């Protein structure tokens, strides 16, 4: 049988992450390549209670539901927008999805035709690049710095390519961990409004903000919240995967009613709906007196901040002396520019032999740039694992730098 | 803001099912339009136990998992193939999906380029037509009768269109409820092998088989099982949505390793993975000593067979005297050809005013044929509801036929 796959489907098979995941099944292997929260911090007991409560009541918890997602959870999100951000976002402007990855895939399927130029951050997340490649988009990277996307380059790319879509994660963007300044957010929004671009703002990591006592109040508003009314030019996507638990597979998109309706229609076609059972469990948890989401996130952030500090300490060792990095104030990743001459893909091969992995920068660039960078995850490995993993990667670095 | 949606996305918004669902939220409304199992028959208590068990053990139940799906559940499916069907299907040839709808969407995304001809049954399911339309396929309907697809017409369509894909549901196909004969299955397989077509065999309804004691042994083998080795020309898709519970959102695809790998890659891009929590709960249930899947399905089938009998009795009333239908031996639907001159869309409008709905046949045809047919679901409404719903639809029929 000669299988005849769709022309762009082959682009999907090239992910080195698949090989890393195969290796990572070995017990002793340490992966800093993934985008995983720490499972030992999940609210396991509270979710067990939520499951019992949901499954003791109503067989409809096991039935098909609405493509938009469970109504009371969309209502909760609407109230959360109001409570925490002072924004008015009605439930019918919210679609529940199987994580932010699905929200992004759905939007791209309804908004992008093959050949359409789409602006992305440079570097950006491998998952986003894959979605855009399968849809046949022309991927246009826009340069940024430690304050976010550069408005001058953005404007130049808009004029050159006439795109209709910009995709960005202004809070602790994947992979660099950069938090955009308020000024940049305003400038980017203004340019997109002026030229009629839709912005997809991925805020998957926004709640993982490692504030200390004195800068608690300085969280920077989302681009979504800077526009009034919300949603005209910005589709805001978020998730409970990093703040509660990924296996609930619950993310959301919030925005203009027409965009949400179109995404809902393709969602229904793609999988009818995400699990009502998971959405009801999550809603039950969030409404429970025994669980406070903000306290839970505070606990996560204290632990993740500690792990990040440990990683930064380990990067002070001699192996890394010619590398450069900026310490992020949140998120899940540290983005490291390797010592001169060192290539992330070659380092990964050496590192895999030692039993540790990270994400090579080449996977985060549409044009195969950022080969000299690597992305290290500090949220999943426990402290001991982190120490051991960094030791193994350091050994690999030394093998290269000692040669030069 | 001028939203500029992808060119084919608009085709998604035309579903009258969305309006029916809005109406069906009213308490008194009775919908025979849906494809829902009976929620009062769900194993609620057993699943509550499974949830408690899974969430008391291992925080990994809440973590991200593999795109392919939870290993032990794929192992269970592999053993089930062997136990119940005598087939050897390895776990690595199985992908878990968010229901069969996602399995079909994923396959179409990796296998179909815009303009590619794809053969479908005529009539076929609205969900399949939507997937094919969004992908830009050329939909080629193949005629059938009460024994399944007609080989002569299939061969003619293959010669005329040179398609690479055929999609069919030989067990109680949606919407007609037809069960293909063994002979037809063999003929269709032979033609597809000869011309190098991949068959997607949707067996979502196959377990809902209303055998009586004497024909228990006469279940007809799947097309998938007729080929050796399995999977070369047939991708087999199935689901626990109809046999256990839809909210677990667990379906699967089984087939050739290359096809499964490609689907896994696009699955990962589309939503990373389905819920590991749901898959673990389902696996726990299936392995539990307190739950026997075959007994549970037997109970479902006895009740569904009774509801079908009731519906058939109600169709003997005078309103329906010039309608025709074949009583299916399983599945979820009864497909009725209306009295001459009556149109399903017009009847639906009249019926909605009375507070009842069904699926109009026009939604099941690529070429807007089968307007004179309607699809009635007999699994979801309880007996009283079924009686009331059929009364309301009968009234609507009489309004038309009385006029003539």
């Amino acid at each position: 049988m000669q299988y005849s796959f769709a022309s762009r489907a082959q682009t999907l098979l090239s992910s080195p992450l698949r090989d890393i995941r195969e290796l990572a099944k070995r017990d002793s292997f340490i992966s800093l390549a993934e985008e995983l929260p720490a499972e030992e911090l999940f609210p396991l007991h509270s979710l067990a209670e939520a499951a019992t409560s949901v499954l003791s009541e109503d067989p409809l918890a096991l039935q098909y539901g609405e493509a938009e997602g469970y109504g009371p959870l969309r209502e909760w999100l609407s109230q959360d927008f109001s409570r925490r951000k002072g924004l008015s976002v009605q439930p019918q402007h919210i679609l529940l999805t199987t994580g932010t990855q699905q929200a992004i895939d759905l939007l791209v399927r309804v908004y992008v035709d093959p050949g359409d130029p789409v602006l992305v951050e440079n570097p950006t997340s491998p998952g986003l690049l894959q979605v855009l490649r399968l849809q046949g988009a022309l991927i246009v990277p826009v340069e940024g710095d430690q304050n976010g996307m550069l408005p001058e380059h953005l404007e130049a790319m808009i004029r050159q390519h006439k795109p209709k879509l910009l995709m960005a994660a202004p809070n602790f963007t994947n992979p660099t961990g950069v938090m955009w300044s308020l000024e940049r957010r305003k400038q980017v929004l203004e340019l997109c409004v002026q030229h009629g671009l839709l912005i997809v703002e991925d805020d998957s990591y926004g709640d993982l903000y490692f504030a200390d006592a004195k800068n608690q109040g300085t969280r920077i508003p989302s681009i979504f919240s800077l526009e009034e009314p919300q949603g005209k030019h910005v589709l805001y996507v978020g998730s409970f995967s990093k703040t509660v638990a990924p296996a609930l597979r619950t993310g959301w998109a919030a925005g203009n009613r027409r965009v949400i309706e179109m995404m809902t229609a393709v969602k229904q076609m793609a999988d009818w709906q995400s699990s009502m059972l998971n959405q009801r469990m999550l809603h039950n948890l969030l409404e429970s007196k025994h669980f406070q989401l903000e306290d839970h996130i505070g606990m996560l952030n204290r632990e993740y901040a500690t792990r990040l500090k440990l990683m930064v300490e380990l990067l002070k060792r001699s192996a890394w002396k010619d590398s450069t990095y900026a310490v992020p104030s949140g998120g899940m990743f540290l983005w490291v520019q390797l010592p001169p001459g060192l290539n992330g893909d070659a380092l990964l091969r050496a590192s895999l032999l030692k039993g540790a992995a990270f994400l090579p920068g080449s996977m985060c660039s549409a044009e195969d740039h950022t080969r000299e960078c690597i992305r290290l995850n500090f949220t999943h490995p426990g402290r001991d694992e982190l120490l051991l993993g960094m030791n193994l990667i350091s050994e690999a670095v030394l093998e290269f730098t000692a040669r030069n």
Side-chain angles (χ1 to χ4, degrees), chain A:
Chain A
M1 171 76 181
Q2 184 69 39
Y3 298 109
S4 163
F5 291 102
S7 51
R8 288 190 298 269
Q10 300 285 353
T11 66
L12 291 169
L13 286 183
S14 59
S15 166
L17 261 184
R18 294 175 63 82
D19 306 331
I20 296 174
R21 286 184 182 135
E22 271 308 304
L23 285 164
K25 286 179 189 166
R26 295 199 321 242
D27 271 349
S28 60
F29 192 89
I30 296 174
S31 178
L32 311 182
E34 301 287 348
E35 187 181 333
L36 301 185
E39 57 255 14
E40 67 276 18
L41 306 180
F42 290 151
L44 188 67
H45 181 68
S46 301
L47 273 166
E49 282 179 359
T52 302
S53 165
V54 164
L55 286 168
S56 69
E57 283 165 19
D58 184 355
L60 284 176
L62 292 171
Q63 185 56 287
Y64 287 107
E66 297 171 354
E68 299 86 317
Y70 185 52
L73 183 55
R74 291 186 293 128
E75 185 67 47
W76 186 94
L77 280 165
S78 167
Q79 287 166 8
D80 191 60
F81 271 115
S82 156
R83 194 169 45 231
R84 289 206 296 159
K85 296 168 187 167
L87 301 179
S88 168
V89 181
Q90 298 306 308
Q92 59 268 36
H93 291 239
I94 299 172
L95 167 68
L96 300 181
T97 59
T98 305
T100 48
Q101 183 72 19
Q102 187 182 47
I104 287 167
D105 184 43
L106 295 177
L107 184 277
V108 168
R109 290 180 86 176
V110 298
Y111 214 75
V112 176
D113 274 318
D116 279 352
V118 175
L119 305 181
V120 299
E121 297 177 270
N122 190 28
T124 190
S125 80
L128 173 58
L129 290 173
Q130 282 202 320
V131 168
L132 292 173
R133 282 188 188 122
L134 186 69
Q135 193 70 6
L138 172 69
I139 301 172
V140 180
V142 182
E143 299 305 325
D145 63 15
Q146 277 305 312
N147 290 313
M149 195 168 265
L150 292 168
E152 302 73 27
H153 195 235
L154 172 59
E155 188 163 12
M157 290 299 99
I158 291 175
R159 291 190 189 282
Q160 183 180 336
H161 293 284
K162 314 254 176 297
K164 54 185 191 182
L165 191 60
L166 164 71
M167 310 191 83
N171 284 328
F172 322 122
T173 192
N174 179 357
T176 64
V178 163
M179 181 166 65
W180 295 19
S181 69
L182 179 59
E183 184 62 18
R184 288 286 173 82
R185 293 175 196 226
K186 287 180 177 166
Q187 289 168 322
V188 166
L189 175 61
E190 197 182 313
L191 278 168
C192 289
V193 170
Q194 189 183 329
H195 295 275
L197 274 76
L198 179 66
I199 302 174
V200 176
E201 180 178 27
D202 178 356
D203 202 16
S204 302
Y205 312 106
D207 284 324
L208 302 182
Y209 177 57
F210 311 152
D212 51 31
K214 69 172 188 281
N215 68 358
Q216 186 63 264
T218 64
R219 285 190 63 172
I220 301 173
S222 63
I223 300 179
F224 179 68
S225 68
L226 294 174
E227 190 186 24
E228 284 196 41
Q230 276 85 39
K232 207 166 161 193
H233 290 84
V234 189
L235 183 83
Y236 181 78
V237 304
S239 167
F240 291 100
S241 292
K242 316 306 189 218
T243 52
V244 180
L248 296 172
R249 307 303 301 116
T250 305
W252 69 84
N256 176 275
R257 181 87 180 110
R258 266 193 74 205
V259 178
I260 292 294
E261 267 182 352
M262 197 67 107
M263 289 174 71
T264 305
V266 72
K267 163 85 180 151
Q268 181 167 318
M269 186 220 72
D271 63 10
W272 293 117
Q273 63 222 227
S274 301
S275 167
M276 286 298 125
L277 176 60
N278 291 350
Q279 292 174 10
R280 283 182 184 239
M281 281 175 58
L282 184 55
H283 180 252
N284 187 290
L285 178 83
L286 295 167
E287 292 285 4
S288 161
K289 291 196 182 92
H290 308 297
F291 180 81
Q292 295 300 326
L293 181 60
E294 299 220 15
D295 295 348
H296 182 73
I297 292 173
M299 177 276 290
L300 293 178
N301 286 339
R302 285 189 298 278
E303 176 59 26
Y304 290 161
T306 304
R307 294 182 189 190
L308 172 60
K309 269 185 199 145
L310 174 58
M311 185 174 270
V312 170
E313 280 308 307
L314 295 168
L315 284 172
K316 291 177 181 162
R317 293 186 177 176
S318 64
W320 302 91
K321 74 174 158 44
D322 296 319
S323 66
T324 56
Y325 50 88
V327 181
S329 53
M332 304 179 82
F333 309 116
L334 191 62
W335 179 248
V336 180
Q337 176 142 15
L338 294 170
L342 223 169
N343 165 312
D345 298 291
L347 181 65
L348 178 63
R349 284 190 292 274
S351 192
L352 288 175
L353 293 175
K354 294 182 183 296
F358 51 80
L359 192 83
S362 57
M363 285 191 64
C364 303
S365 164
E367 292 162 345
D368 224 11
H369 291 162
T370 59
R371 284 198 168 280
E372 72 293 354
C373 295
I374 64 174
R375 188 191 79 180
L376 298 168
N377 167 259
F378 56 81
T379 57
H380 186 243
R383 298 175 197 184
D384 291 348
E385 226 183 334
L386 205 152
L387 181 62
L388 189 55
M390 288 298 287
N391 279 347
L392 294 171
I393 300 169
S394 299
E395 279 176 29
V397 171
L398 281 172
E399 280 179 12
F400 284 91
T401 50
R403 266 188 239 157
N404 297 348

